[in-house]
Amino acid sequence: MTSTEEPGDAVRIADPARPPWREPGMPALLAMTTFAFAGFAVMLPVAPMHMVALGGDEFLAGLVNAVLMLATILTQLVVERMRTWMGWRVSLALACVLLGLPAIGEIFATTPGQILALAAVRGIGFGIVTVSGSSAVGALFPPERRGRAIGAYGLAVAGAQLVLTPISPWIADQAGLPVALAVAALPLAGIPFALAAGSAIAKHARATAALLGGAGPVRDPLETPREERRALVRLWPPILALTVVTCAGGAITTFTPQFVPDAVLTVVALFLYTAAAAFARWAVGGPADRLGARRFVLPGLAIAALGLAAIAASIAGIAGPAAPALLIAGAILVGTAFGTMQNVTLVRAFEVAGEHAKGVASTAWNVAFDAGTGIGALAIGALAAGTSFALSFAALSALCLLAGILLLLIGQRERSAAV
C-alpha cells in the first residue's frame, strides 16, 4: 500500500510543544481506553462477588480474576502478530466487543463454570486492548515524550476505574448484580472511538513510512528469535518490579469487599487506592522524562511494601480503633506505588529493549502486569483460605522488599562492572 499522506503528518505527531492528549489520534484512543477499562473496572470486584453469591469460596472468587488474566496473557502473546493482518481498527473494536458482551451474558449466568468461561472471553478482549494501547503510545510518541504520554494514557485507564472500581461493589449490593453487570457493558460504547483511533494510528504509520522514504506501515525490524530473546533478557528488572506490585493490586481489587466488613469503608478504600494510582501515574511522567525512570523503581517498591504492611496490620486488628485509618493509609500508599510503577516500568521497558523492540517491550510489560494481577488474586485467595488475609498481605509486603533488595544488588553490581 502506497501512502497518500504527507510526511508532515508524522512531524505534527512529534510536535514537542503540544500536550500529549491533543496529539492526532490520542483523543479517540483515550476515549476508547476509558470505556474499555470502565467495564474491566466494574467486573474486577463484581465477578468475584457473583461467584461468592453462587456459593463459591475465597479460592473460587480469586480464580475468576486468575482465569481472566490467564486468558489475557495468552492473548497478549499474539496481539502484535494478529494486528498485522487484522489492522488497528478491527483489533481495537473487537477488544471493546469482547470486553462488553460477556458482562451482559453474565447477567444470565447461574453456575461457577459459566462465570469462569465469560471471564476467559473478557480476558481475550482485555489482552488486545492492553497491548494495543501501550503499543499505540510507543508508536505515536518519541522516547523523550513518552513519560508524559504514558501519564495521559494512564489517566484514561484510571479515570473510569477511579469511580467504578470502588462503587461497583456498592452498586451490586444495593441495586443488585444485574445492574452492576449492565454497567460493565460500557466497553460497547467505545467501539466508535476504537474505529477512529485505529484509523488515526494507521495514518500515522503511513505518514512515518513516507517520511522515512518507505511505503506502507513501519514494521518492527527484529529479524530473528535470538534478537527478541536478547531484548527480553534486558527487560527482566522492570518486569520483576512491575509484577510484584501488580500482585498487590490484584489482591486489593479482588478481595477488599471480602476482608473489609463495612461497605462504606470498602468504597472509600478502593476509591482512594484508585485515585492515588491515577494521580501517581500521571504526576511521575514529567519527572521520569527529566530524571530517568530508573530512579523511581526502588522507591516505588518500598512504598508498596509499607502500604501492604499497614493493610496487614489493619486486618489483624493490631491498631485497634485506628484500624480503619490504617487501612486507608495503606490503600493510598499501595495505590501511589501502583501508579508510579505503571508509568516508570513501561518507560524503562521501552528504554532497555531499544527502539527496534517496542512491540516486544509492550507485550512483555503487559504480560507481567496481568500475570501479577492474576497471581495476586489466585495466590492471596488460596493463602487466605488456609490462613488469613492479614498473613497474606504481610507476605506481599515481604515480597516487595525482597524484590527491591534484589534489584538494588543487581544495580550495584552493574555499576561496579562499569567502573
Side-chain angles (χ1 to χ4, degrees):
M1 180 185 299
T2 302
S3 173
T4 60
E5 309 299 336
E6 296 297 326
D9 288 335
V11 175
R12 285 203 304 273
I13 291 178
D15 183 359
R18 182 182 292 131
W21 52 86
R22 294 182 58 190
E23 294 286 2
M26 274 295 278
L29 178 65
L30 296 178
M32 181 220 69
T33 301
T34 299
F35 282 113
F37 276 83
F40 174 77
V42 173
M43 294 301 288
L44 207 58
V46 167
M49 289 178 68
H50 195 184
M51 179 66 82
V52 172
L54 292 179
D57 60 7
E58 289 87 352
F59 176 77
L60 283 176
L63 187 61
V64 176
N65 286 340
V67 168
L68 168 74
M69 292 307 167
L70 176 61
T72 297
I73 291 166
L74 294 176
T75 302
Q76 287 168 337
L77 296 174
V78 299
V79 167
E80 294 289 339
R81 291 182 177 87
M82 179 194 74
R83 203 171 54 240
T84 61
W85 58 270
M86 290 185 73
W88 281 97
R89 281 168 52 89
V90 174
S91 58
L92 291 176
L94 179 62
C96 291
V97 170
L98 295 178
L99 278 168
L101 281 183
I104 297 175
E106 191 163 323
I107 296 174
F108 307 100
T110 57
T111 68
Q114 291 171 347
I115 293 178
L116 294 177
L118 290 168
V121 176
R122 288 189 290 114
I124 297 172
F126 193 60
I128 297 172
V129 78
T130 50
V131 171
S132 297
S134 55
S135 291
V137 173
L140 291 174
F141 292 89
E144 65 273 12
R145 298 189 64 205
R146 284 185 190 142
R148 291 185 66 203
I150 291 170
Y153 177 75
L155 284 180
V157 169
Q161 295 184 75
L162 179 61
V163 176
L164 293 174
T165 295
I167 204 172
S168 56
W170 180 85
I171 294 174
D173 184 61
Q174 298 297 315
L177 280 166
V179 175
L181 293 170
V183 174
L186 277 171
L188 297 176
I191 293 174
F193 299 102
L195 296 173
S199 295
I201 296 166
K203 178 181 177 181
H204 169 270
R206 292 193 299 269
T208 302
L211 183 66
L212 297 175
V218 178
R219 296 189 181 276
D220 191 338
L222 284 175
E223 295 179 354
T224 67
R226 183 179 181 183
E227 289 173 314
E228 291 186 354
R229 288 194 295 270
R230 287 177 176 175
L232 289 172
V233 168
R234 294 193 297 271
L235 282 167
W236 80 262
I239 293 303
L240 172 64
L242 175 70
T243 302
V244 296
V245 173
T246 54
C247 279
I252 288 174
T253 53
T254 299
F255 293 112
T256 298
Q258 276 76 53
F259 67 73
V260 178
D262 183 81
V264 174
L265 183 58
T266 296
V267 170
V268 172
L270 286 174
F271 174 81
L272 292 176
Y273 163 80
T274 311
F279 177 78
R281 187 172 184 178
W282 170 77
V284 78
D289 284 339
R290 293 192 303 271
L291 303 175
R294 187 173 185 173
R295 292 175 179 265
F296 297 88
V297 173
L298 292 180
L301 287 170
I303 293 170
L306 181 61
L308 290 164
I311 292 173
S314 173
I315 298 171
I318 295 175
L326 193 60
L327 174 71
I328 295 301
I332 293 172
L333 287 172
V334 178
T336 300
F338 189 78
T340 297
M341 300 298 272
Q342 280 182 293
N343 189 313
V344 300
T345 56
L346 182 54
V347 173
R348 186 67 182 147
F350 284 138
E351 289 174 354
V352 299
E355 287 300 295
H356 66 292
K358 292 193 297 291
V360 173
S362 175
T363 298
W365 186 90
N366 279 286
V367 167
F369 185 98
D370 296 317
T373 303
I375 291 170
L378 185 62
I380 295 305
L383 185 58
T387 56
S388 67
F389 280 115
L391 181 61
S392 301
F393 277 88
L396 279 175
S397 177
L399 181 64
C400 289
L401 287 176
L402 289 174
I405 292 171
L406 175 61
L407 293 180
L408 178 62
L409 293 175
I410 294 297
Q412 289 176 341
R413 188 176 70 177
E414 290 176 349
R415 285 190 292 272
S416 299
V419 174

